[in-house]
Amino acid sequence: MSSSTKSQNKYSILLPTYNEVENLPIIIWLIVKCMEKSGYGYEIIIIDDGSPDGTLEAGEQLQKIYGSSKIVLRPREKKLGLGTAYIHGIKHATGNFIIIMDADLSHHPKYIPEFIQQQEIHNYDIVTGTRYLGNGGVHGWDFKRKLISRGANFLTQLLLRPGVSDLTGSFRLYKKDVLQTLIQSCISKGYVFQMEMIVRARQCHFTIGEVPIAFVDRVYGESKLGGSEIVQFATGLLYLFVTT
């Protein structure tokens, strides 16, 4: 692919953060390294939800290092949920593609060029990372958590038949207008939100590609998955089954 083709597209990477002060400098360094090497135009939009641990201050330091054209800070006063974080981020995104990923090092930026290449080859509306195909997988989870994840995915496949192997992953590339359309049609919050996005995408006949990824459980900080998330997931799955 020529450099002129590369220069036409810009990728806005949305990083919602809450208490990620240890992880943020590492993930930003990795993203910058991968994107600079690949030659794609990009910006990283950090959407911090009022982290008390100094995440925003870390973001300000990183902005000084990498420049305000690469690191864009768009904080909010408090935790307002993932869906609204994306809406907030899109408003400030100057790219025609949006990449969403976690800031806790569970998603390695090395996969981003693969996402982009898949999108370019097939003109997909969405490319999503999958833990359940090819050499994808999960590292750092105990058996119980792997069982819950597999069980949830199996149940979802059975009830919704989405044609995508990994529905709850949050490492994805979207055409900007496609993401805007989907967010407006989604009503779920939290853990179920990513699943609803794929289900709605299928309803809208958007095309979806998959890239196998290795998911690594967070190294620093608290995991966000607890009993309430499992209940939320089950309720959300039932809702989508009934309404879609």
Side-chain angles (χ1 to χ4, degrees):
M1 184 179 50
S2 69
S3 56
S4 61
T5 311
K6 280 189 175 184
S7 65
Q8 288 169 8
N9 291 325
K10 184 175 179 182
Y11 299 86
S12 296
I13 300 163
L14 304 190
L15 271 190
T17 57
Y18 186 76
N19 286 352
E20 299 291 0
V21 70
E22 294 105 331
N23 295 317
L24 193 62
I26 309 169
I27 194 72
I28 294 292
W29 181 79
L30 286 168
I31 293 170
V32 169
K33 188 181 164 201
C34 289
M35 295 308 284
E36 293 291 336
K37 189 181 173 187
S38 68
Y40 294 106
Y42 72 99
E43 63 183 354
I44 304 165
I45 301 176
I46 300 169
I47 306 141
D48 187 63
D49 275 3
S51 297
D53 72 342
T55 299
L56 182 59
E57 289 73 14
E60 287 165 355
Q61 292 301 314
L62 291 162
Q63 194 176 52
K64 286 176 189 169
I65 295 165
Y66 298 108
S68 54
S69 64
K70 291 289 180 228
I71 309 292
V72 182
L73 301 176
R74 291 293 178 261
R76 306 189 296 174
E77 284 181 14
K78 59 182 181 186
K79 281 185 94 169
L80 296 163
L82 206 52
T84 58
Y86 294 149
I87 292 166
H88 185 69
I90 289 170
K91 281 180 192 163
H92 302 284
T94 58
N96 54 329
F97 286 92
I98 306 283
I99 291 165
I100 63 167
M101 63 188 297
D102 293 344
D104 63 4
L105 303 177
S106 56
H107 299 143
H108 199 298
K110 68 181 178 184
Y111 297 109
I112 293 174
E114 283 186 55
F115 281 42
I116 293 171
Q117 285 157 18
Q118 280 293 313
Q119 192 285 320
E120 286 177 333
I121 292 164
H122 303 283
N123 193 26
Y124 286 130
D125 296 311
I126 304 163
V127 177
T128 183
T130 174
R131 297 161 289 184
Y132 304 122
L133 279 184
N135 57 357
V138 175
H139 303 281
W141 278 6
D142 60 15
F143 178 72
K144 183 186 169 191
R145 184 132 185 228
K146 281 184 178 175
L147 195 65
I148 290 169
S149 175
R150 283 279 181 182
N153 203 59
F154 174 75
L155 201 58
T156 307
Q157 298 292 343
L158 198 67
L159 294 178
L160 303 179
R161 303 191 182 283
V164 172
S165 67
D166 189 348
L167 277 132
T168 55
S170 51
F171 193 2
R172 292 177 186 162
L173 180 153
Y174 291 89
K175 288 180 179 174
K176 188 178 185 178
D177 54 344
V178 167
L179 182 57
Q180 282 170 319
T181 301
L182 289 174
I183 282 181
Q184 283 158 8
S185 69
C186 283
I187 66 151
S188 304
K189 299 284 181 283
Y191 196 58
V192 189
F193 174 74
Q194 304 293 2
M195 182 169 70
E196 185 175 357
M197 292 279 278
I198 293 292
V199 173
R200 301 284 175 214
R202 282 291 182 219
Q203 284 183 322
C204 298
H205 304 292
F206 290 133
T207 54
I208 306 170
E210 294 189 278
V211 169
I213 62 161
F215 175 95
V216 181
D217 198 25
R218 60 163 51 246
V219 180
Y220 300 110
E222 292 295 310
S223 174
K224 312 282 198 295
L225 181 67
S228 62
E229 280 77 12
I230 294 165
V231 172
Q232 192 184 52
F233 171 80
T235 312
L237 178 58
L238 214 58
Y239 163 77
L240 288 174
F241 180 62
V242 171
T243 59
T244 60

